[in-house]
Amino acid sequence: MLQELLKAAGGNDVVDVLPFIAGSWAGDGPPLERTGPYLRRTVSRAPTATPADIGRALAKARAYAPQLALLAPAARADILETASRTATAHRDQLARLLALELGKPLKDSRTEIDRVASTLAVCAAEARRVDGENLPTAGWPTGIGNTALTYRAPAGVALAITPFNAPANLLAHKLGASFAAGNTTLVKAPPQAPAVSAAVVALLLDSGLPHQAVQLLHGGGETGAALCAADEVDVISFTGSAATGNAVARAAGAKRLALELGGNAATIVCEDADPATAAAVCARTGYSNSGQSCISVQRVYVHRSNYRQFLDAFTAAVDALVVGDPFDDTTDVGSMVDETAAERIVEWSREAAGLGATVVRGGTRDGATAAPTIVADPPRTASVVVHEVFGALVAVMPYDDFDTVLDECNASRYGLQAGLFTHDITRIVTAWRRLEVGGLIVNGSSNFRLDHVPFGGVKDSGFGREAPRWLIDDYTVVKTLVLRGLSPWGDLRELPKETP
């Protein structure tokens, strides 16, 4: 299947995608068509999961779970390492598939596939480290003479619901970590990237992943809701908007959840930072993937002493970005996911201007391609400050006092990640303590991530951490064994009295 998908993506035909259920690529549900945002034509087509498809996938996943749990961690690791190499071998073809379905520039698409390979390799390493503990029971009076052991057992059936903005790498995180933990996984692909999702599943299967380890379904919110509510599912990992995450939690009920939701990322540029360096980083990371990242640079707060210098340097760096054809290797900014998303940039820019802000650049679109937009000094009530833009727009605002700007950053209902440019260790530690975010990037923008480092948020940005090691914690349950009357440390409460 992998070769078929990649071959189709290399031509001008529609890429036909199938679900993977019970070990077979087959499905005949109503067609779900994806319009490429740059090409403005149908680029892929997948059958929507029918109720029968959903029921069969759930039943098979439940039946396969005990089999997968018996596969040794070393065997899981070997398969994931092979899959990592397979991703690297098909890097350019997989990148083209991302550009086709999402309008993501090839340079960014290749980077995503590089991250897929890295993520799968990290999942392999973490599979080899799944373990347990010998607990210090003998250290407490009630535990004397007993032994307690734990190990991390597979949760059983995991449901992975992936987003459109990084469909390959985030699927590698969810499916790779779930398999590393010993689970079978149901994958609900994003409607905007059915072919990319199928390609990642296919490359894992071609690398030795047992067919019992995965079921792939296509569809929209109804499909996701049915899977979330199903009794067969033990744990859910979801990445997407806060609104959809709330719907997932409601449908799931008492299931284990890992939710990575929206963001409204802030980056602070202090007076001791080099404004030109900070501007170059923020320009590069504020518009990568057209700003469609939950940690994309959205709000930049610059100390007033450097504000004009930063804004000038930032504008120059944005002017140098190449916008347009995602299939051109020189393109920096491609299309947004669809025209509705691009129109949001136009509308919110217009609103900010009406409230007194200056739209320095952009505020326009060509179809789904939004021009990189800079909004200078918008009021703090503007949508570009309050809400998640998730697009090619950055707001730049001056500040005077460090404590006050920390409060401004925290005013958002989101709390995923922040950036801080400074060399002052006191400011760094203060920001680390006070900012209500899951991660702080120092001397970098908010839009930086290492796939083997814990990643996740607080407040409306969700809970749980989406990196293989921490996802494995969510994908496993701790099982305890207590051996009564048996202890390697002995069972005496005091030594017998002896005559000296």
Side-chain angles (χ1 to χ4, degrees):
M1 178 56 67
L2 178 61
Q3 293 301 328
E4 293 176 20
L5 290 169
L6 297 180
K7 182 179 179 182
N12 294 317
D13 295 333
V14 175
V15 181
D16 280 308
V17 187
L18 293 170
F20 185 77
I21 305 172
S24 298
W25 292 96
D28 57 3
L32 179 70
E33 295 189 342
R34 170 60 180 162
T35 299
Y38 180 76
L39 295 177
R40 307 187 194 188
R41 64 170 176 82
T42 300
V43 294
S44 61
R45 181 171 50 224
T48 301
T50 64
D53 291 334
I54 294 170
R56 193 157 61 98
L58 288 165
K60 287 297 184 181
R62 184 77 269 162
Y64 290 151
Q67 300 176 36
L68 258 294
L70 297 176
L71 189 64
R76 303 173 207 158
D78 288 343
I79 291 167
L80 290 164
E81 286 172 351
T82 300
S84 174
R85 294 190 292 270
T86 303
T88 298
H90 296 292
R91 175 180 185 246
D92 289 343
Q93 295 162 295
L94 289 165
R96 180 174 173 80
L97 202 53
L98 279 164
L100 189 71
E101 286 195 308
L102 297 168
K104 180 180 288 192
L106 282 176
K107 61 171 68 173
D108 287 344
S109 296
R110 292 191 188 101
T111 297
E112 181 169 349
I113 302 307
D114 290 340
R115 292 179 65 189
V116 168
S118 176
T119 296
L120 293 174
V122 172
C123 289
E126 295 300 338
R128 300 187 191 280
R129 302 200 316 174
V130 175
D131 59 7
E133 291 183 84
N134 186 347
L135 301 175
T137 49
W140 306 96
T142 54
I144 292 175
N146 302 299
T147 298
L149 308 170
T150 68
Y151 84 102
R152 302 204 72 94
V157 177
L159 170 60
I161 303 180
T162 52
F164 73 80
N165 60 318
N169 187 43
L170 292 181
L171 178 52
H173 271 274
K174 296 178 189 298
L175 178 53
S178 179
F179 179 62
N183 296 307
T184 186
T185 309
L186 292 152
V187 174
K188 208 291 283 183
Q192 302 90 343
V196 170
S197 304
V200 173
V201 170
L203 81 82
L204 277 156
L205 291 167
D206 284 1
S207 301
L209 187 79
H211 74 84
Q212 296 94 334
V214 64
Q215 316 281 319
L216 170 66
L217 297 171
H218 303 284
E222 290 185 2
T223 301
L227 291 169
C228 288
D231 292 338
E232 292 87 348
V233 173
D234 298 294
V235 56
I236 300 171
S237 175
F238 168 83
T239 301
S241 70
T244 307
N246 287 331
V248 166
R250 288 193 298 270
K255 296 183 179 70
R256 297 160 64 91
L257 297 173
L259 303 178
E260 196 269 277
L261 308 178
N264 179 356
T267 293
I268 302 169
V269 182
C270 296
E271 60 265 39
D272 66 324
D274 176 33
T277 299
V281 173
C282 289
R284 185 174 67 251
T285 57
Y287 303 96
S288 60
N289 199 19
S290 293
Q292 296 172 124
S293 168
C294 47
I295 53 173
S296 186
V297 180
Q298 177 173 331
R299 296 177 290 156
V300 182
Y301 295 93
V302 186
H303 191 269
R304 195 173 298 277
S305 62
N306 286 331
Y307 178 71
R308 178 49 56 184
Q309 187 179 354
F310 176 92
L311 186 59
D312 290 346
F314 183 69
T315 303
V318 171
D319 286 343
L321 295 172
V322 177
V323 183
D325 186 355
F327 300 98
D328 186 332
D329 280 319
T330 66
T331 297
D332 299 299
V333 182
S335 301
M336 294 185 64
V337 67
D338 53 38
E339 293 193 19
T340 300
E343 181 60 23
R344 183 175 65 249
I345 303 303
V346 176
E347 292 175 355
W348 285 10
S349 300
R350 187 181 300 124
E351 178 210 61
L355 293 172
T358 301
V359 179
V360 179
R361 291 290 186 275
T364 61
R365 69 179 177 93
D366 178 7
T369 302
T373 299
I374 304 170
V375 177
D377 201 15
R380 304 318 188 243
T381 57
S383 293
V384 298
V385 178
V386 175
H387 303 298
E388 180 179 29
V389 171
F390 211 71
L393 184 153
V394 176
V396 183
M397 295 163 282
Y399 79 91
D400 297 294
D401 175 72
F402 189 66
D403 286 336
T404 302
V405 79
L406 294 179
D407 291 337
E408 283 201 45
C409 292
N410 288 338
S412 172
R413 68 188 182 98
Y414 297 106
L416 191 52
Q417 199 153 276
L420 175 65
F421 286 88
T422 185
H423 299 289
D424 185 330
I425 189 63
T426 300
R427 285 197 186 109
I428 292 170
V429 174
T430 299
W432 190 21
R433 181 180 67 248
R434 284 190 50 195
L435 285 174
E436 297 167 354
V437 293
L440 175 63
I441 308 301
V442 176
N443 291 323
S445 76
S446 60
N447 195 4
F448 180 79
R449 181 177 176 184
L450 297 173
D451 289 301
H452 57 286
V453 170
F455 176 81
V458 297
K459 300 195 288 189
D460 280 2
S461 289
F463 49 84
R465 293 297 178 262
E466 194 171 73
R469 174 184 159 190
W470 286 267
L471 268 176
I472 286 173
D473 286 348
D474 289 318
Y475 283 143
T476 54
V477 294
V478 175
K479 297 186 74 173
T480 304
L481 174 69
V482 177
L483 303 174
R484 295 201 61 189
L486 182 63
S487 173
W489 290 282
D491 56 6
L492 292 180
R493 294 177 181 270
E494 62 180 35
L495 289 175
K497 303 295 185 183
E498 292 184 2
T499 303

